[in-house]
Amino acid sequence: VLQNLSQTPVLRELLKEAKMPGTTVKIESPELFVEPQLIKLDQPGPLTLAMYQFLTEMQEAKKGVVTPKELFAQVCKKAIRFKGYQQQDSHELLRYLLDGMRAEE
């Protein structure tokens, strides 16, 4: 899931801009035929910042192994079910991760 998210350019760009509070972001989607939206961003929360940091590390060419330790800790704060390192479905992680980031907006 995290490898796929790291290869999503729109997400990486939005998170790069989101780390700076007070930024206005223009979101366009010509494929969906909707008007562009301007969204003013507040201070990002800890989960959003951890996601940004993780994706940045994933994109660095010189990094070998990247561990999502801080990102996982932030997900566990939002979704207690992930504590304890038991096996979970990847779609549940994706859901809790994205829902948690959206709740921080």
Side-chain angles (χ1 to χ4, degrees), residues 9-70:
V10 173
L11 177 62
R12 288 195 322 262
E13 288 301 314
L14 283 174
L15 287 174
K16 186 188 306 181
E17 293 180 24
K19 75 179 181 103
M20 297 174 282
T23 302
T24 300
V25 178
K26 183 177 183 179
I27 298 176
E28 299 180 84
S29 182
E31 302 86 28
L32 298 176
F33 303 105
V34 294
E35 293 293 318
Q37 296 182 9
L38 291 177
I39 299 172
K40 185 173 181 183
L41 302 173
D42 293 326
Q43 177 70 33
L47 179 59
T48 303
L49 288 174
M51 183 65 173
Y52 168 75
Q53 183 62 38
F54 176 74
L55 293 181
T56 301
E57 288 178 21
M58 288 281 291
Q59 293 302 309
E60 290 179 3
K62 294 181 182 179
K63 284 277 188 181
V65 176
V66 178
T67 58
K69 193 180 258 186
E70 178 60 26

Tab-separated table of all heavy atoms in Angstrom, residues 9-70:
chain	number	residue	atom	x	y	z
A	9	PRO	N	2.010	10.738	-7.857
A	9	PRO	CA	2.562	12.091	-7.926
A	9	PRO	C	1.650	13.169	-7.322
A	9	PRO	O	2.133	14.079	-6.653
A	9	PRO	CB	2.774	12.331	-9.425
A	9	PRO	CG	2.841	10.978	-10.026
A	9	PRO	CD	1.970	10.101	-9.173
A	10	VAL	N	0.367	13.076	-7.553
A	10	VAL	CA	-0.557	14.092	-7.036
A	10	VAL	C	-0.523	14.109	-5.505
A	10	VAL	O	-0.488	15.179	-4.893
A	10	VAL	CB	-1.998	13.845	-7.542
A	10	VAL	CG1	-2.980	14.788	-6.888
A	10	VAL	CG2	-2.054	13.985	-9.052
A	11	LEU	N	-0.500	12.946	-4.888
A	11	LEU	CA	-0.442	12.863	-3.434
A	11	LEU	C	0.864	13.457	-2.916
A	11	LEU	O	0.867	14.240	-1.966
A	11	LEU	CB	-0.582	11.410	-2.975
A	11	LEU	CG	-0.471	11.177	-1.467
A	11	LEU	CD1	-1.589	11.900	-0.720
A	11	LEU	CD2	-0.491	9.685	-1.169
A	12	ARG	N	1.969	13.114	-3.541
A	12	ARG	CA	3.267	13.658	-3.115
A	12	ARG	C	3.291	15.173	-3.218
A	12	ARG	O	3.758	15.864	-2.313
A	12	ARG	CB	4.401	13.045	-3.935
A	12	ARG	CG	4.697	11.603	-3.596
A	12	ARG	CD	6.040	11.142	-4.157
A	12	ARG	NE	6.365	11.666	-5.474
A	12	ARG	CZ	6.184	11.002	-6.612
A	12	ARG	NH1	5.664	9.795	-6.608
A	12	ARG	NH2	6.535	11.535	-7.765
A	13	GLU	N	2.768	15.709	-4.311
A	13	GLU	CA	2.758	17.166	-4.498
A	13	GLU	C	1.855	17.850	-3.477
A	13	GLU	O	2.204	18.882	-2.921
A	13	GLU	CB	2.330	17.527	-5.920
A	13	GLU	CG	3.374	17.214	-6.957
A	13	GLU	CD	4.691	17.946	-6.710
A	13	GLU	OE1	4.676	19.161	-6.420
A	13	GLU	OE2	5.746	17.295	-6.780
A	14	LEU	N	0.674	17.276	-3.242
A	14	LEU	CA	-0.235	17.868	-2.258
A	14	LEU	C	0.368	17.850	-0.860
A	14	LEU	O	0.257	18.821	-0.112
A	14	LEU	CB	-1.581	17.148	-2.256
A	14	LEU	CG	-2.520	17.492	-3.388
A	14	LEU	CD1	-3.757	16.595	-3.354
A	14	LEU	CD2	-2.926	18.949	-3.324
A	15	LEU	N	1.020	16.755	-0.497
A	15	LEU	CA	1.634	16.679	0.823
A	15	LEU	C	2.807	17.647	0.946
A	15	LEU	O	3.037	18.212	2.012
A	15	LEU	CB	2.083	15.253	1.130
A	15	LEU	CG	0.948	14.280	1.432
A	15	LEU	CD1	1.471	12.865	1.574
A	15	LEU	CD2	0.196	14.690	2.681
A	16	LYS	N	3.533	17.848	-0.145
A	16	LYS	CA	4.642	18.806	-0.118
A	16	LYS	C	4.096	20.204	0.172
A	16	LYS	O	4.664	20.957	0.957
A	16	LYS	CB	5.382	18.800	-1.449
A	16	LYS	CG	6.641	19.664	-1.430
A	16	LYS	CD	7.286	19.834	-2.788
A	16	LYS	CE	7.580	18.548	-3.492
A	16	LYS	NZ	8.236	18.736	-4.800
A	17	GLU	N	2.994	20.559	-0.460
A	17	GLU	CA	2.392	21.872	-0.253
A	17	GLU	C	1.677	21.941	1.095
A	17	GLU	O	1.652	22.989	1.726
A	17	GLU	CB	1.427	22.192	-1.388
A	17	GLU	CG	2.135	22.381	-2.717
A	17	GLU	CD	1.195	22.704	-3.852
A	17	GLU	OE1	0.094	23.227	-3.595
A	17	GLU	OE2	1.567	22.437	-5.008
A	18	ALA	N	1.122	20.826	1.532
A	18	ALA	CA	0.358	20.808	2.786
A	18	ALA	C	1.229	21.017	4.003
A	18	ALA	O	0.750	21.437	5.042
A	18	ALA	CB	-0.408	19.488	2.913
A	19	LYS	N	2.516	20.727	3.903
A	19	LYS	CA	3.382	20.876	5.071
A	19	LYS	C	3.613	22.335	5.437
A	19	LYS	O	4.068	22.643	6.518
A	19	LYS	CB	4.695	20.128	4.898
A	19	LYS	CG	5.669	20.772	3.977
A	19	LYS	CD	6.942	19.959	3.905
A	19	LYS	CE	7.911	20.649	2.990
A	19	LYS	NZ	8.947	21.342	3.652
A	20	MET	N	3.259	23.250	4.519
A	20	MET	CA	3.403	24.676	4.786
A	20	MET	C	2.022	25.259	5.102
A	20	MET	O	1.177	25.343	4.220
A	20	MET	CB	4.009	25.374	3.567
A	20	MET	CG	5.406	24.899	3.236
A	20	MET	SD	6.048	25.602	1.723
A	20	MET	CE	5.210	24.596	0.500
A	21	PRO	N	1.754	25.627	6.371
A	21	PRO	CA	0.430	26.132	6.738
A	21	PRO	C	0.094	27.416	5.997
A	21	PRO	O	0.960	28.224	5.693
A	21	PRO	CB	0.536	26.362	8.245
A	21	PRO	CG	1.982	26.389	8.554
A	21	PRO	CD	2.684	25.627	7.483
A	22	GLY	N	-1.185	27.583	5.689
A	22	GLY	CA	-1.658	28.776	5.015
A	22	GLY	C	-1.535	28.726	3.506
A	22	GLY	O	-1.871	29.682	2.824
A	23	THR	N	-1.078	27.608	2.971
A	23	THR	CA	-0.926	27.458	1.527
A	23	THR	C	-2.292	27.239	0.883
A	23	THR	O	-3.144	26.559	1.431
A	23	THR	CB	-0.023	26.244	1.202
A	23	THR	OG1	1.240	26.437	1.819
A	23	THR	CG2	0.166	26.062	-0.280
A	24	THR	N	-2.482	27.838	-0.283
A	24	THR	CA	-3.689	27.594	-1.061
A	24	THR	C	-3.324	26.659	-2.206
A	24	THR	O	-2.371	26.912	-2.937
A	24	THR	CB	-4.269	28.908	-1.610
A	24	THR	OG1	-4.579	29.763	-0.505
A	24	THR	CG2	-5.539	28.658	-2.406
A	25	VAL	N	-4.090	25.590	-2.333
A	25	VAL	CA	-3.820	24.565	-3.342
A	25	VAL	C	-4.956	24.562	-4.349
A	25	VAL	O	-6.132	24.621	-3.984
A	25	VAL	CB	-3.704	23.171	-2.679
A	25	VAL	CG1	-3.482	22.106	-3.720
A	25	VAL	CG2	-2.592	23.162	-1.663
A	26	LYS	N	-4.595	24.492	-5.630
A	26	LYS	CA	-5.589	24.393	-6.691
A	26	LYS	C	-5.652	22.938	-7.138
A	26	LYS	O	-4.649	22.363	-7.560
A	26	LYS	CB	-5.213	25.282	-7.867
A	26	LYS	CG	-6.226	25.292	-8.982
A	26	LYS	CD	-5.801	26.260	-10.067
A	26	LYS	CE	-6.840	26.353	-11.159
A	26	LYS	NZ	-6.440	27.310	-12.205
A	27	ILE	N	-6.834	22.339	-7.020
A	27	ILE	CA	-7.015	20.943	-7.408
A	27	ILE	C	-7.851	20.911	-8.677
A	27	ILE	O	-8.973	21.411	-8.706
A	27	ILE	CB	-7.698	20.133	-6.283
A	27	ILE	CG1	-6.807	20.139	-5.038
A	27	ILE	CG2	-7.987	18.714	-6.747
A	27	ILE	CD1	-7.405	19.452	-3.849
A	28	GLU	N	-7.266	20.313	-9.710
A	28	GLU	CA	-7.953	20.215	-10.996
A	28	GLU	C	-8.092	18.753	-11.384
A	28	GLU	O	-7.219	17.951	-11.086
A	28	GLU	CB	-7.157	20.934	-12.082
A	28	GLU	CG	-6.975	22.411	-11.832
A	28	GLU	CD	-6.184	23.063	-12.937
A	28	GLU	OE1	-6.808	23.417	-13.953
A	28	GLU	OE2	-4.965	23.195	-12.786
A	29	SER	N	-9.187	18.434	-12.047
A	29	SER	CA	-9.393	17.075	-12.529
A	29	SER	C	-10.128	17.138	-13.867
A	29	SER	O	-11.349	16.979	-13.928
A	29	SER	CB	-10.189	16.254	-11.510
A	29	SER	OG	-10.333	14.941	-11.977
A	30	PRO	N	-9.388	17.383	-14.957
A	30	PRO	CA	-10.035	17.476	-16.270
A	30	PRO	C	-10.764	16.201	-16.674
A	30	PRO	O	-11.748	16.251	-17.396
A	30	PRO	CB	-8.881	17.762	-17.228
A	30	PRO	CG	-7.666	17.948	-16.419
A	30	PRO	CD	-7.961	17.552	-15.013
A	31	GLU	N	-10.284	15.047	-16.154
A	31	GLU	CA	-10.925	13.777	-16.509
A	31	GLU	C	-12.343	13.681	-15.963
A	31	GLU	O	-13.190	13.008	-16.527
A	31	GLU	CB	-10.119	12.585	-15.973
A	31	GLU	CG	-8.696	12.511	-16.458
A	31	GLU	CD	-7.737	13.341	-15.603
A	31	GLU	OE1	-7.985	13.539	-14.407
A	31	GLU	OE2	-6.732	13.807	-16.164
A	32	LEU	N	-12.592	14.343	-14.822
A	32	LEU	CA	-13.912	14.261	-14.194
A	32	LEU	C	-14.829	15.406	-14.602
A	32	LEU	O	-15.978	15.468	-14.184
A	32	LEU	CB	-13.772	14.247	-12.663
A	32	LEU	CG	-12.993	13.064	-12.095
A	32	LEU	CD1	-12.853	13.218	-10.579
A	32	LEU	CD2	-13.677	11.752	-12.433
A	33	PHE	N	-14.332	16.333	-15.402
A	33	PHE	CA	-15.109	17.470	-15.892
A	33	PHE	C	-15.710	18.290	-14.757
A	33	PHE	O	-16.883	18.663	-14.804
A	33	PHE	CB	-16.222	17.006	-16.856
A	33	PHE	CG	-15.698	16.220	-18.021
A	33	PHE	CD1	-15.850	14.846	-18.071
A	33	PHE	CD2	-15.016	16.852	-19.051
A	33	PHE	CE1	-15.350	14.115	-19.146
A	33	PHE	CE2	-14.515	16.124	-20.121
A	33	PHE	CZ	-14.677	14.761	-20.175
A	34	VAL	N	-14.923	18.544	-13.727
A	34	VAL	CA	-15.379	19.395	-12.626
A	34	VAL	C	-14.528	20.656	-12.602
A	34	VAL	O	-13.401	20.680	-13.090
A	34	VAL	CB	-15.287	18.668	-11.256
A	34	VAL	CG1	-16.250	17.500	-11.199
A	34	VAL	CG2	-13.883	18.212	-10.965
A	35	GLU	N	-15.101	21.710	-12.043
A	35	GLU	CA	-14.385	22.973	-11.937
A	35	GLU	C	-13.199	22.831	-10.983
A	35	GLU	O	-13.295	22.122	-9.984
A	35	GLU	CB	-15.335	24.055	-11.408
A	35	GLU	CG	-16.457	24.413	-12.379
A	35	GLU	CD	-15.929	25.090	-13.630
A	35	GLU	OE1	-15.024	25.950	-13.519
A	35	GLU	OE2	-16.403	24.745	-14.723
A	36	PRO	N	-12.098	23.512	-11.254
A	36	PRO	CA	-10.965	23.494	-10.319
A	36	PRO	C	-11.393	24.069	-8.971
A	36	PRO	O	-12.228	24.966	-8.903
A	36	PRO	CB	-9.931	24.408	-10.988
A	36	PRO	CG	-10.345	24.517	-12.408
A	36	PRO	CD	-11.817	24.298	-12.447
A	37	GLN	N	-10.816	23.543	-7.914
A	37	GLN	CA	-11.141	23.998	-6.569
A	37	GLN	C	-9.898	24.585	-5.922
A	37	GLN	O	-8.815	24.037	-6.037
A	37	GLN	CB	-11.651	22.842	-5.721
A	37	GLN	CG	-12.940	22.253	-6.225
A	37	GLN	CD	-13.428	21.140	-5.309
A	37	GLN	OE1	-12.890	20.936	-4.236
A	37	GLN	NE2	-14.446	20.442	-5.735
A	38	LEU	N	-10.094	25.712	-5.220
A	38	LEU	CA	-9.024	26.310	-4.433
A	38	LEU	C	-9.284	25.977	-2.978
A	38	LEU	O	-10.368	26.241	-2.462
A	38	LEU	CB	-8.977	27.825	-4.627
A	38	LEU	CG	-8.530	28.310	-5.999
A	38	LEU	CD1	-8.606	29.826	-6.075
A	38	LEU	CD2	-7.119	27.852	-6.302
A	39	ILE	N	-8.289	25.387	-2.323
A	39	ILE	CA	-8.443	24.972	-0.933
A	39	ILE	C	-7.305	25.574	-0.125
A	39	ILE	O	-6.129	25.409	-0.469
A	39	ILE	CB	-8.413	23.433	-0.813
A	39	ILE	CG1	-9.560	22.834	-1.614
A	39	ILE	CG2	-8.466	22.998	0.645
A	39	ILE	CD1	-9.514	21.343	-1.731
A	40	LYS	N	-7.661	26.294	0.954
A	40	LYS	CA	-6.644	26.848	1.847
A	40	LYS	C	-6.362	25.815	2.928
A	40	LYS	O	-7.270	25.321	3.591
A	40	LYS	CB	-7.113	28.148	2.478
A	40	LYS	CG	-6.028	28.792	3.303
A	40	LYS	CD	-6.392	30.151	3.799
A	40	LYS	CE	-5.207	30.668	4.591
A	40	LYS	NZ	-5.450	31.927	5.187
A	41	LEU	N	-5.093	25.490	3.099
A	41	LEU	CA	-4.691	24.445	4.033
A	41	LEU	C	-4.275	25.037	5.376
A	41	LEU	O	-3.610	26.064	5.436
A	41	LEU	CB	-3.529	23.645	3.447
A	41	LEU	CG	-3.789	22.982	2.101
A	41	LEU	CD1	-2.509	22.372	1.562
A	41	LEU	CD2	-4.870	21.936	2.222
A	42	ASP	N	-4.669	24.371	6.440
A	42	ASP	CA	-4.250	24.739	7.781
A	42	ASP	C	-2.959	24.010	8.118
A	42	ASP	O	-2.388	23.300	7.290
A	42	ASP	CB	-5.340	24.358	8.801
A	42	ASP	CG	-6.606	25.184	8.612
A	42	ASP	OD1	-6.496	26.359	8.230
A	42	ASP	OD2	-7.702	24.646	8.853
A	43	GLN	N	-2.535	24.143	9.365
A	43	GLN	CA	-1.354	23.420	9.847
A	43	GLN	C	-1.607	21.918	9.735
A	43	GLN	O	-2.623	21.425	10.216
A	43	GLN	CB	-1.081	23.798	11.306
A	43	GLN	CG	0.074	23.067	11.945
A	43	GLN	CD	1.415	23.493	11.375
A	43	GLN	OE1	1.607	24.630	11.002
A	43	GLN	NE2	2.344	22.561	11.323
A	44	PRO	N	-0.717	21.174	9.083
A	44	PRO	CA	-0.924	19.728	8.968
A	44	PRO	C	-0.778	19.042	10.325
A	44	PRO	O	-0.019	19.479	11.174
A	44	PRO	CB	0.162	19.281	7.999
A	44	PRO	CG	1.192	20.344	8.044
A	44	PRO	CD	0.500	21.613	8.417
A	45	GLY	N	-1.509	17.948	10.493
A	45	GLY	CA	-1.437	17.177	11.723
A	45	GLY	C	-0.266	16.211	11.711
A	45	GLY	O	0.436	16.067	10.705
A	46	PRO	N	-0.060	15.505	12.821
A	46	PRO	CA	1.091	14.606	12.926
A	46	PRO	C	1.061	13.433	11.943
A	46	PRO	O	2.109	13.012	11.454
A	46	PRO	CB	1.044	14.124	14.375
A	46	PRO	CG	-0.300	14.466	14.891
A	46	PRO	CD	-0.821	15.584	14.056
A	47	LEU	N	-0.113	12.918	11.641
A	47	LEU	CA	-0.203	11.811	10.685
A	47	LEU	C	0.164	12.295	9.282
A	47	LEU	O	0.915	11.639	8.564
A	47	LEU	CB	-1.598	11.194	10.694
A	47	LEU	CG	-1.849	10.042	9.720
A	47	LEU	CD1	-0.884	8.887	9.991
A	47	LEU	CD2	-3.277	9.564	9.820
A	48	THR	N	-0.332	13.450	8.911
A	48	THR	CA	-0.028	14.019	7.596
A	48	THR	C	1.460	14.323	7.467
A	48	THR	O	2.075	14.026	6.443
A	48	THR	CB	-0.862	15.294	7.362
A	48	THR	OG1	-2.248	14.964	7.501
A	48	THR	CG2	-0.627	15.868	5.980
A	49	LEU	N	2.049	14.880	8.511
A	49	LEU	CA	3.485	15.164	8.482
A	49	LEU	C	4.308	13.879	8.406
A	49	LEU	O	5.313	13.815	7.684
A	49	LEU	CB	3.888	15.979	9.713
A	49	LEU	CG	3.431	17.429	9.712
A	49	LEU	CD1	3.758	18.090	11.043
A	49	LEU	CD2	4.043	18.198	8.555
A	50	ALA	N	3.884	12.840	9.134
A	50	ALA	CA	4.591	11.553	9.089
A	50	ALA	C	4.483	10.934	7.695
A	50	ALA	O	5.455	10.353	7.188
A	50	ALA	CB	4.040	10.605	10.145
A	51	MET	N	3.326	11.074	7.066
A	51	MET	CA	3.143	10.553	5.712
A	51	MET	C	4.042	11.308	4.731
A	51	MET	O	4.695	10.699	3.877
A	51	MET	CB	1.675	10.664	5.301
A	51	MET	CG	1.378	10.086	3.954
A	51	MET	SD	1.652	8.310	3.916
A	51	MET	CE	1.014	7.929	2.312
A	52	TYR	N	4.091	12.621	4.856
A	52	TYR	CA	4.958	13.422	3.995
A	52	TYR	C	6.421	12.991	4.162
A	52	TYR	O	7.130	12.785	3.178
A	52	TYR	CB	4.811	14.914	4.297
A	52	TYR	CG	5.886	15.734	3.639
A	52	TYR	CD1	5.849	15.981	2.271
A	52	TYR	CD2	6.958	16.218	4.367
A	52	TYR	CE1	6.852	16.694	1.653
A	52	TYR	CE2	7.971	16.936	3.751
A	52	TYR	CZ	7.913	17.181	2.392
A	52	TYR	OH	8.912	17.883	1.786
A	53	GLN	N	6.862	12.846	5.406
A	53	GLN	CA	8.245	12.459	5.677
A	53	GLN	C	8.557	11.085	5.088
A	53	GLN	O	9.604	10.876	4.475
A	53	GLN	CB	8.524	12.469	7.181
A	53	GLN	CG	9.949	12.147	7.545
A	53	GLN	CD	10.933	13.159	6.980
A	53	GLN	OE1	10.666	14.351	6.935
A	53	GLN	NE2	12.076	12.684	6.524
A	54	PHE	N	7.634	10.153	5.258
A	54	PHE	CA	7.840	8.810	4.732
A	54	PHE	C	7.934	8.815	3.208
A	54	PHE	O	8.842	8.203	2.628
A	54	PHE	CB	6.724	7.873	5.185
A	54	PHE	CG	6.838	6.502	4.599
A	54	PHE	CD1	7.806	5.620	5.054
A	54	PHE	CD2	6.012	6.098	3.570
A	54	PHE	CE1	7.937	4.352	4.501
A	54	PHE	CE2	6.136	4.838	3.008
A	54	PHE	CZ	7.097	3.968	3.473
A	55	LEU	N	7.015	9.515	2.543
A	55	LEU	CA	7.041	9.556	1.083
A	55	LEU	C	8.302	10.247	0.574
A	55	LEU	O	8.853	9.854	-0.456
A	55	LEU	CB	5.787	10.247	0.539
A	55	LEU	CG	4.485	9.500	0.764
A	55	LEU	CD1	3.320	10.272	0.157
A	55	LEU	CD2	4.528	8.096	0.196
A	56	THR	N	8.767	11.249	1.295
A	56	THR	CA	10.009	11.927	0.922
A	56	THR	C	11.184	10.963	1.014
A	56	THR	O	12.018	10.904	0.105
A	56	THR	CB	10.240	13.154	1.830
A	56	THR	OG1	9.126	14.046	1.687
A	56	THR	CG2	11.516	13.878	1.461
A	57	GLU	N	11.247	10.201	2.092
A	57	GLU	CA	12.318	9.213	2.246
A	57	GLU	C	12.252	8.150	1.154
A	57	GLU	O	13.290	7.698	0.651
A	57	GLU	CB	12.246	8.555	3.615
A	57	GLU	CG	12.657	9.450	4.748
A	57	GLU	CD	12.530	8.776	6.103
A	57	GLU	OE1	12.505	7.526	6.161
A	57	GLU	OE2	12.452	9.496	7.105
A	58	MET	N	11.057	7.744	0.788
A	58	MET	CA	10.900	6.725	-0.262
A	58	MET	C	11.431	7.226	-1.603
A	58	MET	O	11.933	6.438	-2.406
A	58	MET	CB	9.422	6.335	-0.432
A	58	MET	CG	8.842	5.514	0.680
A	58	MET	SD	9.293	3.783	0.590
A	58	MET	CE	8.411	3.235	-0.852
A	59	GLN	N	11.341	8.530	-1.848
A	59	GLN	CA	11.753	9.092	-3.134
A	59	GLN	C	13.256	9.380	-3.205
A	59	GLN	O	13.778	9.585	-4.285
A	59	GLN	CB	10.968	10.375	-3.426
A	59	GLN	CG	9.493	10.125	-3.647
A	59	GLN	CD	9.222	9.171	-4.783
A	59	GLN	OE1	9.722	9.349	-5.878
A	59	GLN	NE2	8.417	8.159	-4.541
A	60	GLU	N	13.922	9.410	-2.050
A	60	GLU	CA	15.356	9.681	-2.056
A	60	GLU	C	16.100	8.499	-2.662
A	60	GLU	O	15.938	7.363	-2.235
A	60	GLU	CB	15.857	9.948	-0.637
A	60	GLU	CG	15.368	11.260	-0.067
A	60	GLU	CD	15.853	11.507	1.345
A	60	GLU	OE1	16.632	10.683	1.880
A	60	GLU	OE2	15.436	12.520	1.926
A	61	ALA	N	16.906	8.792	-3.643
A	61	ALA	CA	17.590	7.736	-4.397
A	61	ALA	C	18.653	7.011	-3.574
A	61	ALA	O	18.889	5.833	-3.781
A	61	ALA	CB	18.226	8.336	-5.648
A	62	LYS	N	19.289	7.684	-2.632
A	62	LYS	CA	20.394	7.079	-1.903
A	62	LYS	C	19.947	6.235	-0.717
A	62	LYS	O	20.750	5.527	-0.132
A	62	LYS	CB	21.356	8.171	-1.426
A	62	LYS	CG	22.033	8.872	-2.573
A	62	LYS	CD	22.987	9.929	-2.093
A	62	LYS	CE	23.600	10.624	-3.302
A	62	LYS	NZ	24.525	11.668	-2.920
A	63	LYS	N	18.691	6.320	-0.340
A	63	LYS	CA	18.205	5.533	0.795
A	63	LYS	C	18.152	4.070	0.405
A	63	LYS	O	17.742	3.722	-0.691
A	63	LYS	CB	16.792	5.988	1.201
A	63	LYS	CG	16.753	7.281	1.972
A	63	LYS	CD	17.018	6.998	3.414
A	63	LYS	CE	16.793	8.259	4.218
A	63	LYS	NZ	17.047	8.104	5.602
A	64	GLY	N	18.526	3.215	1.325
A	64	GLY	CA	18.413	1.779	1.092
A	64	GLY	C	17.045	1.318	1.557
A	64	GLY	O	16.054	1.440	0.857
A	65	VAL	N	17.000	0.848	2.783
A	65	VAL	CA	15.753	0.373	3.364
A	65	VAL	C	15.088	1.531	4.107
A	65	VAL	O	15.733	2.233	4.872
A	65	VAL	CB	16.030	-0.792	4.337
A	65	VAL	CG1	14.745	-1.236	5.017
A	65	VAL	CG2	16.672	-1.948	3.599
A	66	VAL	N	13.814	1.715	3.854
A	66	VAL	CA	13.051	2.770	4.530
A	66	VAL	C	12.003	2.093	5.400
A	66	VAL	O	11.249	1.243	4.924
A	66	VAL	CB	12.359	3.699	3.507
A	66	VAL	CG1	11.528	4.749	4.201
A	66	VAL	CG2	13.392	4.337	2.598
A	67	THR	N	11.978	2.446	6.671
A	67	THR	CA	10.978	1.872	7.571
A	67	THR	C	9.958	2.939	7.939
A	67	THR	O	10.320	4.071	8.247
A	67	THR	CB	11.623	1.323	8.856
A	67	THR	OG1	12.315	2.376	9.508
A	67	THR	CG2	12.577	0.195	8.550
A	68	PRO	N	8.695	2.587	7.917
A	68	PRO	CA	7.636	3.550	8.233
A	68	PRO	C	7.327	3.623	9.732
A	68	PRO	O	6.167	3.669	10.134
A	68	PRO	CB	6.447	3.004	7.445
A	68	PRO	CG	6.659	1.533	7.447
A	68	PRO	CD	8.159	1.345	7.381
A	69	LYS	N	8.364	3.641	10.559
A	69	LYS	CA	8.191	3.575	12.012
A	69	LYS	C	7.304	4.710	12.544
A	69	LYS	O	6.332	4.462	13.252
A	69	LYS	CB	9.553	3.603	12.689
A	69	LYS	CG	9.536	3.226	14.152
A	69	LYS	CD	10.935	3.281	14.730
A	69	LYS	CE	11.480	1.880	14.836
A	69	LYS	NZ	12.778	1.814	15.507
A	70	GLU	N	7.632	5.954	12.212
A	70	GLU	CA	6.859	7.093	12.711
A	70	GLU	C	5.454	7.110	12.109
A	70	GLU	O	4.479	7.385	12.797
A	70	GLU	CB	7.583	8.407	12.406
A	70	GLU	CG	6.829	9.648	12.839
A	70	GLU	CD	6.529	9.710	14.337
A	70	GLU	OE1	7.263	9.107	15.138
A	70	GLU	OE2	5.533	10.362	14.713
